[in-house]
Amino acid sequence: MTTWSVALLLLVWNTAAASDNAAKVLFRLTGSNTIGADLAPAQVKSYLKSQGATDITQRNQGEKHWIHARLNGQPVVVPIIALGSSTGFKALDEGTADIGMASRKIKPREVAMLSRFGNLTSPQAEHVIGLDALVITIHRDNPITQLTMAQLAQIYRGEIRNWAQLGGPDLPIRPLHRDMESGTRATFDGEVFGRSRATPHFIHEVAGNHETRALVQRDRGAIGYLPYADADGLHKVAIKSGDLAAVVPDRGIIATEDFPLTRRLYLYRNPARFNPHVDGFIHHVESRAGQQIVAQIGFINLTPVALKMAPYANAPQNYRELMENGARLSISFRFADGSTELDNRALRDLHRLQDFMAEEQNRTLSLTLVGFSDRKSNSNISDLISRFRALKVQGALLRDHEMGDSQIMAVGAFAPLTPDSEQGPVKNSRVEVWIN
C-alpha cells in the first residue's frame, strides 16, 4: 500500500471518528449477531425515519455498525455492536449499552447479575420481536434427509461419528458448532442437550454463520446449523421430535413455535433507566411497521396469520374436525417457565389477537382456544390442566380485551412437541388459537 493510500485511509477514519464524537448518541445496542447484522440496522433506520430524521446513513466495521442521521437539525448516531448474545447482557451490566440483543432467553445467572436494575424477565424489560429457527444443514451430495433430535445429540456427543451409521456414505461426520458467546449455540445446546456444554475436541468451532455456510457447501462430511434466513439454497435436514412428523422448517411451523429448533429473538432494556428513544424504538419494532421489517429481513414476524394445517390421523374427534374445517392462527399462547402465568410474548399476543379479530369484523368468525398439557400427570389431570390453560387465555381476553365470544377445547397431553422432561412443561403446555 502506498504512503498516499495510508494517508487517505487515516483521513477517512479520523473524519468518521470525529463525526461520531460530534453526533449525539440516541441509544446503543449490543449483543446478538443474528439480530445485529441486518435486522437491527434496518429497524434503527426505520425508527429514525418515523421520527422525521434525514440524511440517514450506515457505516460498518466488521460486526460493528453506526447509523448516522440528522434529527431536528442535530447530528445523531446509534451504535450497534453485534458480537454475540452474551455480550449484550455484559454491556447492560457495564452500562455501555441501552438495549441488549439476544437470540436466546436471558439466563438465570444473567438475571441475577442485572437484578440491581430490576427484573430483566418482566414485561417492561423483555421484548420478543420475532422468531427464527435453527436449520440443520449438510452437504448437497449427502443423501440423509431426516434426523431425530436424539440422533442429533448423538452426533454432537460423538456417539455417532460416521454417516454410514445413519444410512449415509462411509464418511466421517464433521460437526460444526458456534462459539460460546453465541445465542445461536445456546439455543442449539438448550434444545438438543437441555443445557450449555463445553465443545468436545472432535467438533469444529466456527466464528459465525457465514463460516458454517461455507464449510457445509465445501465439506461432504459436515453438518451444521444456521438461522432460517441464512439457510436458503442449502440441503436442509428434516428434524423429528416428540410425536410429530419430521419436518424441514417453513414459515408456518416456525410461526406457531411447533418446530423443535424454533427460537425467539429478544430485545432487553434496563427497566430502571428511562430513555424516550429506547422506549420509542422498541415500540416501533413491535408495531406493524416494525414487524414488516422483521419479515423483510428473512425472519418470522409476530403478526397473526391464518394457517391451514393437515389433520393428525390420531387426533381426538373434536380436534380433528376443527383441523379439517378451520384455520389455525400463528399465535400459540405459552406460559412463563411452565407456570400458570402467561409469558411476555403471550401478553402482547393478546393485543395482536384483538387487532386481528377487529380487522376481520366484517367476517363472521368463531374463535376456539385449544388447551394442551404436558405428560407429567395421569390423563384426568392432564385434561384438567389443558382446560385450565385454555380458560386462562379466555379469561384474559374477556377481562382485558373485551373478547368474550371464544370457545374452549381441551385435548390433554395429545401431540407433545418434545419428550424432553425439562423442556416439556414449557413447550407442550400451550393454547392454540383456531378460527372458523
Side-chain angles (χ1 to χ4, degrees):
M1 183 178 289
T2 66
T3 303
W4 182 86
S5 299
V6 172
L8 180 60
L9 286 174
L10 288 174
L11 176 63
V12 171
W13 177 259
N14 290 334
T15 300
S19 175
D20 287 349
N21 291 333
K24 175 185 177 183
V25 177
L26 291 186
F27 53 93
R28 304 156 296 173
L29 297 103
T30 298
S32 165
N33 178 257
T34 298
I35 299 173
D38 298 306
L39 179 56
Q43 293 284 11
V44 170
K45 292 173 190 175
S46 177
Y47 169 71
L48 290 172
K49 186 176 181 180
S50 75
Q51 298 299 298
T54 59
D55 302 330
I56 301 172
T57 60
Q58 179 173 340
R59 181 167 64 86
N60 305 310
Q61 182 189 346
E63 307 299 342
K64 300 178 182 179
H65 316 284
W66 293 264
I67 311 301
H68 289 269
R70 294 193 70 84
L71 183 61
N72 301 323
Q74 180 181 8
V76 298
V77 63
V78 177
I80 303 169
I81 301 176
L83 297 175
S85 297
S86 296
T87 65
F89 300 113
K90 293 174 184 176
L92 286 174
D93 182 45
E94 296 165 357
T96 57
D98 302 291
I99 299 173
M101 306 176 291
S103 57
R104 47 92 174 162
K105 189 173 179 63
I106 189 171
K107 297 177 181 179
R109 60 177 175 79
E110 293 163 335
V111 174
M113 176 180 72
L114 297 167
S115 61
R116 68 185 185 279
F117 300 131
N119 182 4
L120 267 288
T121 66
S122 69
Q124 294 74 32
E126 181 182 77
H127 300 264
V128 181
I129 63 167
L131 299 172
D132 187 21
L134 301 189
V135 178
I136 305 302
T137 179
I138 58 179
H139 191 271
R140 64 181 180 276
D141 293 339
N142 193 326
I144 297 297
T145 59
Q146 72 175 59
L147 294 169
T148 67
M149 290 289 284
Q151 288 171 329
L152 202 54
Q154 288 175 301
I155 289 171
Y156 276 81
R157 279 198 296 259
E159 296 165 5
I160 297 177
R161 301 293 293 273
N162 193 296
W163 286 112
Q165 295 174 258
L166 297 166
D170 183 9
L171 191 68
I173 299 176
R174 188 187 189 193
L176 310 177
H177 215 10
R178 282 291 306 273
D179 59 278
M180 287 296 290
E181 297 291 339
S182 167
T184 302
R185 173 177 174 149
T187 297
F188 181 88
D189 282 350
E191 295 296 337
V192 175
F193 302 109
R195 58 181 176 80
S196 297
R197 60 198 300 272
T199 306
H201 67 88
F202 61 90
I203 285 180
H204 180 77
E205 194 168 276
V206 297
N209 298 323
H210 293 300
E211 185 179 356
T212 298
R213 185 180 176 92
L215 286 172
V216 165
Q217 288 177 308
R218 187 170 69 240
D219 189 335
R220 293 181 63 244
I223 180 171
Y225 49 88
L226 286 167
Y228 178 76
D230 291 335
D232 190 45
L234 298 180
H235 179 183
K236 306 177 184 71
V237 179
I239 298 298
K240 178 174 176 55
S241 177
D243 291 347
L244 302 184
V247 292
V248 173
D250 58 26
R251 301 187 73 85
I253 196 169
I254 298 172
T256 63
E257 297 190 83
D258 285 0
F259 182 66
L261 294 175
T262 299
R263 61 173 174 174
R264 296 178 174 186
L265 304 178
Y266 296 88
L267 296 181
Y268 287 89
R269 62 176 293 274
N270 182 340
R273 180 179 299 163
F274 176 70
N275 178 333
H277 284 294
V278 168
D279 289 355
F281 173 70
I282 292 176
H283 178 74
H284 181 78
V285 175
E286 293 178 327
S287 72
R288 183 66 63 91
Q291 288 300 295
Q292 288 177 347
I293 292 173
V294 170
Q296 289 167 6
I297 295 298
F299 297 107
I300 286 74
N301 66 22
L302 304 177
T303 304
V305 294
L307 304 167
K308 192 63 183 175
M309 311 292 285
Y312 299 140
N314 60 337
Q317 183 63 29
N318 56 351
Y319 186 51
R320 182 177 176 81
E321 290 176 358
L322 186 64
M323 299 184 83
E324 290 173 345
N325 301 317
R328 180 180 171 186
L329 292 190
S330 53
I331 289 174
S332 288
F333 290 99
R334 284 181 165 80
F335 299 80
D337 298 323
S339 72
T340 60
E341 299 302 318
L342 292 170
D343 67 15
N344 291 334
R345 180 196 166 177
L347 293 174
R348 292 180 176 87
D349 278 344
L350 292 169
H351 294 277
R352 295 185 180 106
L353 178 57
Q354 181 182 28
D355 292 343
F356 176 88
M357 296 300 287
E359 291 171 358
E360 299 289 335
Q361 61 184 350
N362 293 329
R363 298 171 57 197
T364 302
L365 294 179
S366 63
L367 193 68
T368 302
L369 305 172
V370 183
F372 294 76
S373 65
D374 195 36
R375 283 179 168 171
K376 287 196 169 183
S377 307
N378 63 46
S379 60
N380 290 335
I381 297 298
S382 291
D383 288 344
L384 287 174
I385 292 173
S386 66
R387 181 171 296 278
F388 171 80
R389 294 197 181 284
L391 287 169
K392 184 82 174 183
V393 174
Q394 185 185 54
L397 289 172
L398 176 62
R399 181 181 64 253
D400 301 326
H401 302 274
E402 299 181 354
M403 294 177 60
D405 54 349
S406 59
Q407 300 177 343
I408 292 296
M409 183 183 297
V411 294
F414 173 72
L417 301 178
T418 176
D420 181 82
S421 59
E422 293 186 19
Q423 298 282 349
V426 176
K427 286 184 170 290
N428 298 335
S429 299
R430 63 200 187 277
V431 176
E432 296 178 353
V433 182
W434 288 78
I435 55 174
N436 273 325

